[in-house]
Amino acid sequence: MAKSSEESPSRRTFMTAVIGLITALVAVALAIPILGEILSPLFKQRDIVWEELGKQSDLEKIEPLSPKFIPVYFKVREGWTVNTLPRQVIAVKDVDGSLHFFSNQCTHLGCPLHWIVARQKFMCPCHGGMFNILGKVVGGPPPRPLFEWVHKIENGTVFIQNKFLNNPKDRGI
Ligand code: FES
């Protein structure tokens, strides 16, 4: 007759499986927060940042209705690195003296626009989109006016945010 303290092979196998399962569950429970911390930057939206565009006094010297293309370099954290994203700002002074800061990307499929002095229009080289000096569509397939960059003026300096006014996606560009 077998001793009562001896376990049958099937009971031993079952206990081993239960212990293995518990160990695996504990390991997963410990790993989830660590993995989340490591991977979370991959799923974050692009940072919203401000970059200096120039002195307000200089920008106010722009000729009315004559666009000035100004490069801006946004430094944004993406994942684990900080990247520099070059963008173009089209600064336009209206006849009333107000300043506008448009994106140079066509609102059809994003091609870069050129200002054609002779026609007094922004022209898109891709599909013939046309915008007037204040960003309104005046020809071609673009579905909406030019996007305007969010901007602010602090202590006489103009700053641009990597975000458009009325951007349906509330995220950096
Ligand atoms: S991308 Fe400008 S008209 Fe198509």
mmCIF file of all heavy atoms in Angstrom, residues 8 10 14-15 22 45 53 56 59 63 66 68 77 91 96 114 118 120-121 133 136 143-144 148 150 168 171:
data_model
loop_
_atom_site.group_PDB
_atom_site.id
_atom_site.type_symbol
_atom_site.label_atom_id
_atom_site.label_comp_id
_atom_site.label_asym_id
_atom_site.label_seq_id
_atom_site.Cartn_x
_atom_site.Cartn_y
_atom_site.Cartn_z
ATOM 1 N N SER A 8 0.484 11.091 -6.437
ATOM 2 C CA SER A 8 0.444 10.383 -7.713
ATOM 3 C C SER A 8 1.070 11.280 -8.782
ATOM 4 O O SER A 8 1.088 12.503 -8.644
ATOM 5 C CB SER A 8 -0.997 10.063 -8.064
ATOM 6 O OG SER A 8 -1.671 11.258 -8.353
ATOM 7 N N SER A 10 -0.037 12.170 -11.622
ATOM 8 C CA SER A 10 -0.970 13.125 -12.217
ATOM 9 C C SER A 10 -1.178 14.330 -11.297
ATOM 10 O O SER A 10 -1.313 15.462 -11.752
ATOM 11 C CB SER A 10 -2.301 12.447 -12.534
ATOM 12 O OG SER A 10 -2.893 12.001 -11.339
ATOM 13 N N PHE A 14 -0.255 18.175 -12.162
ATOM 14 C CA PHE A 14 -1.246 19.250 -12.021
ATOM 15 C C PHE A 14 -0.676 20.397 -11.192
ATOM 16 O O PHE A 14 -0.796 21.575 -11.561
ATOM 17 C CB PHE A 14 -2.511 18.674 -11.352
ATOM 18 C CG PHE A 14 -3.524 19.728 -11.021
ATOM 19 C CD1 PHE A 14 -4.292 20.317 -12.032
ATOM 20 C CD2 PHE A 14 -3.705 20.132 -9.709
ATOM 21 C CE1 PHE A 14 -5.217 21.300 -11.728
ATOM 22 C CE2 PHE A 14 -4.629 21.125 -9.406
ATOM 23 C CZ PHE A 14 -5.382 21.703 -10.418
ATOM 24 N N MET A 15 -0.016 20.050 -10.051
ATOM 25 C CA MET A 15 0.547 21.092 -9.181
ATOM 26 C C MET A 15 1.634 21.883 -9.915
ATOM 27 O O MET A 15 1.730 23.101 -9.789
ATOM 28 C CB MET A 15 1.127 20.466 -7.910
ATOM 29 C CG MET A 15 0.082 19.894 -6.971
ATOM 30 S SD MET A 15 -1.159 21.122 -6.478
ATOM 31 C CE MET A 15 -0.166 22.149 -5.419
ATOM 32 N N ILE A 22 0.762 30.298 -12.306
ATOM 33 C CA ILE A 22 0.817 31.435 -11.375
ATOM 34 C C ILE A 22 2.086 32.252 -11.624
ATOM 35 O O ILE A 22 2.063 33.487 -11.667
ATOM 36 C CB ILE A 22 0.744 30.939 -9.914
ATOM 37 C CG1 ILE A 22 -0.661 30.385 -9.646
ATOM 38 C CG2 ILE A 22 1.076 32.059 -8.946
ATOM 39 C CD1 ILE A 22 -0.803 29.670 -8.324
ATOM 40 N N GLN A 45 1.029 61.492 -29.211
ATOM 41 C CA GLN A 45 0.928 62.449 -30.291
ATOM 42 C C GLN A 45 2.148 63.356 -30.259
ATOM 43 O O GLN A 45 2.807 63.478 -29.240
ATOM 44 C CB GLN A 45 -0.337 63.268 -30.118
ATOM 45 C CG GLN A 45 -1.575 62.411 -30.311
ATOM 46 C CD GLN A 45 -2.819 63.235 -30.338
ATOM 47 O OE1 GLN A 45 -2.882 64.279 -29.728
ATOM 48 N NE2 GLN A 45 -3.825 62.752 -31.034
ATOM 49 N N LEU A 53 9.754 83.139 -34.444
ATOM 50 C CA LEU A 53 9.727 83.422 -35.880
ATOM 51 C C LEU A 53 10.503 84.694 -36.206
ATOM 52 O O LEU A 53 11.169 84.779 -37.241
ATOM 53 C CB LEU A 53 8.280 83.584 -36.357
ATOM 54 C CG LEU A 53 8.096 83.672 -37.861
ATOM 55 C CD1 LEU A 53 8.429 82.334 -38.516
ATOM 56 C CD2 LEU A 53 6.670 84.060 -38.204
ATOM 57 N N GLN A 56 8.554 91.300 -33.938
ATOM 58 C CA GLN A 56 7.306 91.871 -34.441
ATOM 59 C C GLN A 56 7.592 93.108 -35.290
ATOM 60 O O GLN A 56 7.009 93.299 -36.355
ATOM 61 C CB GLN A 56 6.417 92.243 -33.248
ATOM 62 C CG GLN A 56 5.078 92.830 -33.650
ATOM 63 C CD GLN A 56 4.258 93.245 -32.435
ATOM 64 O OE1 GLN A 56 4.752 93.219 -31.309
ATOM 65 N NE2 GLN A 56 3.021 93.617 -32.656
ATOM 66 N N LEU A 59 8.686 92.071 -38.723
ATOM 67 C CA LEU A 59 7.601 91.498 -39.527
ATOM 68 C C LEU A 59 6.603 92.570 -39.952
ATOM 69 O O LEU A 59 5.995 92.472 -41.022
ATOM 70 C CB LEU A 59 6.902 90.389 -38.737
ATOM 71 C CG LEU A 59 7.771 89.140 -38.541
ATOM 72 C CD1 LEU A 59 7.209 88.223 -37.472
ATOM 73 C CD2 LEU A 59 7.888 88.368 -39.861
ATOM 74 N N GLU A 63 6.017 94.497 -46.752
ATOM 75 C CA GLU A 63 5.108 95.249 -47.628
ATOM 76 C C GLU A 63 3.712 94.647 -47.536
ATOM 77 O O GLU A 63 3.571 93.413 -47.566
ATOM 78 C CB GLU A 63 5.567 95.137 -49.082
ATOM 79 C CG GLU A 63 6.750 96.003 -49.432
ATOM 80 C CD GLU A 63 6.374 97.469 -49.396
ATOM 81 O OE1 GLU A 63 5.388 97.849 -50.055
ATOM 82 O OE2 GLU A 63 7.054 98.225 -48.675
ATOM 83 N N SER A 66 2.325 91.452 -49.761
ATOM 84 C CA SER A 66 3.510 90.911 -50.427
ATOM 85 C C SER A 66 4.083 89.837 -49.499
ATOM 86 O O SER A 66 4.648 90.159 -48.452
ATOM 87 C CB SER A 66 4.522 92.034 -50.658
ATOM 88 O OG SER A 66 5.692 91.513 -51.221
ATOM 89 N N LYS A 68 6.074 86.957 -47.437
ATOM 90 C CA LYS A 68 7.477 86.678 -47.100
ATOM 91 C C LYS A 68 7.541 85.237 -46.587
ATOM 92 O O LYS A 68 6.844 84.883 -45.644
ATOM 93 C CB LYS A 68 7.937 87.661 -46.021
ATOM 94 C CG LYS A 68 9.385 87.502 -45.604
ATOM 95 C CD LYS A 68 9.733 88.606 -44.590
ATOM 96 C CE LYS A 68 11.026 88.365 -43.875
ATOM 97 N NZ LYS A 68 12.207 88.633 -44.628
ATOM 98 N N ARG A 77 9.739 66.292 -29.635
ATOM 99 C CA ARG A 77 10.063 64.938 -29.178
ATOM 100 C C ARG A 77 9.142 63.963 -29.886
ATOM 101 O O ARG A 77 7.922 64.105 -29.876
ATOM 102 C CB ARG A 77 9.882 64.841 -27.662
ATOM 103 C CG ARG A 77 10.118 63.454 -27.107
ATOM 104 C CD ARG A 77 10.193 63.481 -25.596
ATOM 105 N NE ARG A 77 11.365 64.194 -25.125
ATOM 106 C CZ ARG A 77 12.604 63.710 -25.139
ATOM 107 N NH1 ARG A 77 12.824 62.495 -25.586
ATOM 108 N NH2 ARG A 77 13.611 64.419 -24.714
ATOM 109 N N ALA A 91 4.426 84.735 -44.173
ATOM 110 C CA ALA A 91 3.942 85.893 -43.415
ATOM 111 C C ALA A 91 3.354 86.887 -44.408
ATOM 112 O O ALA A 91 3.978 87.210 -45.421
ATOM 113 C CB ALA A 91 5.084 86.524 -42.637
ATOM 114 N N ASP A 96 -4.890 96.370 -43.598
ATOM 115 C CA ASP A 96 -5.197 97.006 -42.310
ATOM 116 C C ASP A 96 -4.051 96.842 -41.307
ATOM 117 O O ASP A 96 -4.163 97.225 -40.150
ATOM 118 C CB ASP A 96 -6.502 96.438 -41.725
ATOM 119 C CG ASP A 96 -6.390 94.949 -41.390
ATOM 120 O OD1 ASP A 96 -5.284 94.369 -41.558
ATOM 121 O OD2 ASP A 96 -7.396 94.353 -40.959
ATOM 122 N N HIS A 114 4.148 78.255 -54.475
ATOM 123 C CA HIS A 114 5.042 79.328 -54.908
ATOM 124 C C HIS A 114 4.204 80.593 -55.102
ATOM 125 O O HIS A 114 3.061 80.508 -55.569
ATOM 126 C CB HIS A 114 5.714 78.964 -56.237
ATOM 127 C CG HIS A 114 6.431 77.653 -56.194
ATOM 128 N ND1 HIS A 114 7.643 77.485 -55.572
ATOM 129 C CD2 HIS A 114 6.075 76.436 -56.667
ATOM 130 C CE1 HIS A 114 8.020 76.219 -55.681
ATOM 131 N NE2 HIS A 114 7.084 75.553 -56.330
ATOM 132 N N ALA A 118 3.612 87.943 -60.972
ATOM 133 C CA ALA A 118 2.863 88.450 -62.127
ATOM 134 C C ALA A 118 1.364 88.194 -61.985
ATOM 135 O O ALA A 118 0.544 88.972 -62.471
ATOM 136 C CB ALA A 118 3.391 87.809 -63.406
ATOM 137 N N GLN A 120 -0.026 87.527 -58.909
ATOM 138 C CA GLN A 120 -0.439 87.861 -57.534
ATOM 139 C C GLN A 120 -1.238 86.720 -56.900
ATOM 140 O O GLN A 120 -2.279 86.918 -56.280
ATOM 141 C CB GLN A 120 -1.268 89.163 -57.520
ATOM 142 C CG GLN A 120 -0.440 90.402 -57.866
ATOM 143 C CD GLN A 120 0.568 90.741 -56.766
ATOM 144 O OE1 GLN A 120 0.208 91.130 -55.666
ATOM 145 N NE2 GLN A 120 1.856 90.570 -57.065
ATOM 146 N N LYS A 121 -0.674 85.504 -57.082
ATOM 147 C CA LYS A 121 -1.338 84.321 -56.529
ATOM 148 C C LYS A 121 -0.297 83.305 -56.062
ATOM 149 O O LYS A 121 0.828 83.262 -56.580
ATOM 150 C CB LYS A 121 -2.217 83.645 -57.586
ATOM 151 C CG LYS A 121 -3.386 84.518 -57.992
ATOM 152 C CD LYS A 121 -4.487 83.768 -58.624
ATOM 153 C CE LYS A 121 -5.673 84.663 -58.919
ATOM 154 N NZ LYS A 121 -5.417 86.048 -59.171
ATOM 155 N N ILE A 133 -3.727 86.147 -51.941
ATOM 156 C CA ILE A 133 -2.737 86.548 -50.940
ATOM 157 C C ILE A 133 -3.209 86.272 -49.505
ATOM 158 O O ILE A 133 -2.402 86.068 -48.605
ATOM 159 C CB ILE A 133 -2.389 88.053 -51.104
ATOM 160 C CG1 ILE A 133 -1.275 88.485 -50.151
ATOM 161 C CG2 ILE A 133 -3.604 88.937 -50.885
ATOM 162 C CD1 ILE A 133 0.071 87.997 -50.514
ATOM 163 N N LYS A 136 -7.259 82.444 -49.699
ATOM 164 C CA LYS A 136 -8.548 81.940 -50.210
ATOM 165 C C LYS A 136 -8.313 81.177 -51.508
ATOM 166 O O LYS A 136 -7.527 81.596 -52.358
ATOM 167 C CB LYS A 136 -9.479 83.139 -50.452
ATOM 168 C CG LYS A 136 -10.873 82.772 -50.791
ATOM 169 C CD LYS A 136 -11.763 84.020 -50.846
ATOM 170 C CE LYS A 136 -13.090 83.648 -51.456
ATOM 171 N NZ LYS A 136 -13.572 84.561 -52.447
ATOM 172 N N PRO A 143 -9.637 71.984 -51.457
ATOM 173 C CA PRO A 143 -10.992 72.022 -50.874
ATOM 174 C C PRO A 143 -11.198 73.126 -49.844
ATOM 175 O O PRO A 143 -12.326 73.375 -49.431
ATOM 176 C CB PRO A 143 -11.085 70.658 -50.179
ATOM 177 C CG PRO A 143 -9.674 70.327 -49.802
ATOM 178 C CD PRO A 143 -8.799 70.937 -50.861
ATOM 179 N N ARG A 144 -10.117 73.782 -49.412
ATOM 180 C CA ARG A 144 -10.289 74.777 -48.350
ATOM 181 C C ARG A 144 -9.145 75.790 -48.400
ATOM 182 O O ARG A 144 -8.123 75.539 -49.046
ATOM 183 C CB ARG A 144 -10.338 74.107 -46.974
ATOM 184 C CG ARG A 144 -9.185 73.146 -46.656
ATOM 185 C CD ARG A 144 -8.983 73.036 -45.173
ATOM 186 N NE ARG A 144 -8.555 74.314 -44.654
ATOM 187 C CZ ARG A 144 -8.826 74.764 -43.436
ATOM 188 N NH1 ARG A 144 -9.513 74.029 -42.607
ATOM 189 N NH2 ARG A 144 -8.385 75.940 -43.039
ATOM 190 N N GLU A 148 -3.659 78.362 -41.337
ATOM 191 C CA GLU A 148 -2.873 79.405 -40.657
ATOM 192 C C GLU A 148 -2.231 78.805 -39.420
ATOM 193 O O GLU A 148 -2.871 78.060 -38.666
ATOM 194 C CB GLU A 148 -3.773 80.572 -40.242
ATOM 195 C CG GLU A 148 -4.179 81.457 -41.406
ATOM 196 C CD GLU A 148 -4.713 82.813 -40.939
ATOM 197 O OE1 GLU A 148 -4.006 83.540 -40.228
ATOM 198 O OE2 GLU A 148 -5.864 83.119 -41.298
ATOM 199 N N VAL A 150 -0.871 78.680 -35.685
ATOM 200 C CA VAL A 150 -1.159 79.338 -34.407
ATOM 201 C C VAL A 150 0.068 80.186 -34.064
ATOM 202 O O VAL A 150 1.202 79.733 -34.217
ATOM 203 C CB VAL A 150 -1.392 78.287 -33.301
ATOM 204 C CG1 VAL A 150 -1.545 78.956 -31.940
ATOM 205 C CG2 VAL A 150 -2.623 77.439 -33.627
ATOM 206 N N PRO A 168 -8.536 70.174 -37.398
ATOM 207 C CA PRO A 168 -9.466 69.191 -36.827
ATOM 208 C C PRO A 168 -8.782 68.195 -35.909
ATOM 209 O O PRO A 168 -9.363 67.734 -34.938
ATOM 210 C CB PRO A 168 -10.041 68.486 -38.052
ATOM 211 C CG PRO A 168 -9.174 68.871 -39.197
ATOM 212 C CD PRO A 168 -8.451 70.124 -38.841
ATOM 213 N N ARG A 171 -3.385 68.233 -32.695
ATOM 214 C CA ARG A 171 -2.066 67.655 -32.476
ATOM 215 C C ARG A 171 -1.016 68.473 -33.221
ATOM 216 O O ARG A 171 -1.330 69.294 -34.062
ATOM 217 C CB ARG A 171 -2.025 66.223 -32.966
ATOM 218 C CG ARG A 171 -2.520 66.049 -34.369
ATOM 219 C CD ARG A 171 -2.052 64.789 -34.970
ATOM 220 N NE ARG A 171 -0.619 64.814 -35.082
ATOM 221 C CZ ARG A 171 0.098 63.789 -35.510
ATOM 222 N NH1 ARG A 171 -0.490 62.670 -35.805
ATOM 223 N NH2 ARG A 171 1.395 63.869 -35.624
#
